[in-house]
Structures are given as C-alpha cells and as structure tokens.
Amino acid sequence: MTTTPSGGARGTVLVVNSGSSSVKYQLVDPVAGEAVASGLVERIGEPRGAVKHVAHGGTTRREVPVPDHAEALRVVLSLFAEVGPDLATAGVVAVGHRVVQGGSRFDRPVLVDQHVEDTIEELSPLAPLHNPPNLTGIRVAKELLPDVPHVAVFDTAFFRTLPDAAATYAIDREVATTYRVRRYGAHGTSHQYVSQKVAEVLDRPLEDLHQIVLHLGNGASASAVRGGHAVETSMGMTPLEGLVMGTRSGDIDPAIMFHLHRNAGMSADEIDDLLNRRSGLKGLSGENDFRALHELVEAGDEGANLALDVYLHRLRKYIGAYHAVLGRLDALTFTAGVGENDALVRARAVEGLDAMGIEVDPERNAGRTDGPRVISPEGARVTVLVVPTNEELAIARHAMDVIGA
Ligand code: ADP
C-alpha cells in the first residue's frame, strides 16, 4: 500500500484499457497523480504476443503466446507478482475500465454490475470494434480480481450534455431513433480532464471559461466546452467523423460511400476499412506518424505536403466553427501525442487566426516542459495552452469517486 507523508495508507487503482488485440494497463496512485506501474500486452490472438511491463524504473519484455484477453490479464497479474509491485500489498481499491461507447445511457462513470455489463453489450452495435473487447476485459478482470469493485468509465459520457442541435443528425427522425443514430463523441475522458486542468492552470473558475480543446493523437478530436460542459465535439456516432487523423478520413461527403459502392464495387466492410485504416495522413502520404511525415515534407514529398495542408486546413476550420459556437473564446488547448509534442503543427494550426485573438508566441511554443504551459503571448485575448492529457489518471480518479474513496 502507498504511504502518505502523514504515514497513513491510501489506495491505488488498476486502470485497464482492453482493445481488440491489446490490453493497456496502469497502476495509478490517484492522490499523487502518478503511475506506480504500467504496461501493454499486444498481438493478442497472434502466434507470438508481446508484453511490456514497466515498474520500479525498469522495463520487462516478454514474447509469449497470448491467445485471448483472459490469458493477457493472467500474464499481467503474473508480472505484477514476479516483478512487482505486489498487487496484494499495493492497496488496490478499484479497477477502472475504459469503455468506448456508453450510448445515451451513461452520463457518468458507474460501478459495474450485471445490468451495466448487459448494457455495454447491448450498445456494441454502435462500437463493434471497441465495446466487445472492453466488456471482455471487464469480465476477465472481475474473475481474476473478484474482491475489488470494478468501475466503467465511458469515453462518451462527457458528451451527454451536448445540446440536441449539436447531437442530432439531420436524417429521418424515426430511422435515427430506431437505430440510435446521433453524435456520441469520443475521447471524452481526455477532453474533460484537460478542460478542468486549464481552469486550474489559469486559476479561473471552470464555470466562467469558454474553451476549445484539440486532442491530437493518432485519433484526433476537437471539443467546445462552455462552463465545464461540452457543447460540441467533432467525433460523431463513431470516432470516424471530424478532424483528419492518422489513418481515418474524418469528415467526407457521405455520398462518396455510395459512389464507391456503386462504381468501385466496394462492400460496406471494404469502405469501413478504407476510411478507418487506409485514409487520413496515411492515405494521403503513406505515413500516419507526424515525425515520419515531417521528414517526408522536408525531403520534398508532394503527398506528405498535401497531407499536412489538408490536416491543418481542417483543424483551422474547426477552430473557427467552435469559436462561433461558443460566441467567445477564452482558452484554446492542444493535447495528446501530436498536440503536446509538435510545435510546427501548433504554430500552423493557428496561422492567420490573430484577427480572432488566437496566436502563439514562437519561443513559448518551441519550449518543452512535462507539465501544462501557456504558449500565447502575454496579454493575448485567447490563452493558448499545451496541457498533457492523462486518461489513466482521470479514469483512476473517476473510479475513486464512484466507490466513494
Ligand atoms: P493514440 O493514443 O491516439 O494512439 P497518441 O496521443 O499517443 O495517440 O499520439 C500518437 C501520435 O503522436 C503519433 O502517431 C505521432 O504522430 C505523434 N507524436 C508522438 N510523439 C511526437 C513527437 N515527438 N513529435 C511529433 N509528433 C509526435
């Protein structure tokens, strides 16, 4: 058990993110805001699985067959037993599970019971790639760690407050209702965590702030947050809509799908694969990682240059649109892998937006720190920030709140 400076004991939370072929985990001390240990099991179901466990300042790697999620979690627990920290003495008070789709049902994290499990399963058609492995992770973890409460934290929950005007697609209402077609958003845990952090950094009440948060990772999304409540977000019924992403197209004319079906003979599954895995930066340039993309641009690659231009054009368009949705903008924040690390993307994303009060100071933008920082010039109308996201910590804190610890 972790010990507080006063000598008292406090709990840790095991955070589990169970994907289709991987399980990510972190043992988090939610009070200190630190990861005590973390790791990743990849290539579940393939002949050789890859396991990485980071604890006590060292990294343990294994290549072992991991046929399914149950075995993945067994491997994780055996690494905790072998390498440490010992879960029996680490004071695990809860397991927090990331669940991608909470539909219209969940507007906050909940304690997992049979009804919650059934509902996550029932929502699977809305997130067929995500909810089933999320649920498998929950079921397996409950079996292996039966004595602690399990909490489900939904990626969509923060966006349950979207006004109907933002959440509703303009299609036949009966069809939309029957098939639960609406904007649910995603990355909500990150958008909520970051927008709350911005209020702390600026030392201003969250209730007073009009914010745009740009979560730019391999997946990317924007949100407009008024007074701590999300009022608009770029991901839609699924994470495919919105910004240009590493391998996803983001917004396209829906008629392109009919066109491809009718003229290229592509099936729904093939179009799904095209738009989710072979589009975005990768589709335009062959690379989905910004570090590789910049190298191509520097080498004069035309496709990479176009990819960057398309990415930034879309981003600027969303900043402008969300400024209009909010009416007034106090803070614009970059987060996630690209948002936190790529000064060039940040600078170019706000290029030409100075008339809207949005600009970055080149020196501040180029600087690096581990924590949150302001990158707009002193006295700027809109404060532009870089705030590292921490979804695991947010999930751990949600889990503590749910169990009342
Ligand atoms: P996800 O959680 O969606 O997989 P991350 O938030 O970890 O994504 O972001 C991953 C992406 O961040 C990479 O694909 C890469 O484009 C970008 N990235 C990571 N580090 C850097 C860096 N130092 N400079 C520029 N881009 C980076």
Side-chain angles (χ1 to χ4, degrees), residues 255-276:
I256 292 171
M257 297 177 224
F258 320 142
H259 173 74
L260 292 176
H261 174 63
R262 290 178 189 138
N263 296 290
M266 292 175 79
S267 67
D269 285 347
E270 284 167 338
I271 298 173
D272 187 331
D273 181 63
L274 173 78
L275 299 180
N276 274 299

Side-chain angles (χ1 to χ4, degrees), residues 198-209 328 330 383:
V198 167
E200 270 176 45
V201 174
L202 301 183
D203 196 21
R204 288 182 60 184
L206 183 62
E207 298 70 40
D208 292 352
L209 292 174
R328 181 196 87 222
D330 301 306
T383 308

Side-chain angles (χ1 to χ4, degrees), residues 47 77 184 199 220 224 243 271 273 284 307 320 330 350 357 375 399 401:
L77 294 185
Y184 297 105
L243 301 176
I271 298 173
D273 181 63
L284 291 171
D330 301 306
V350 302
I375 58 168
D401 287 345

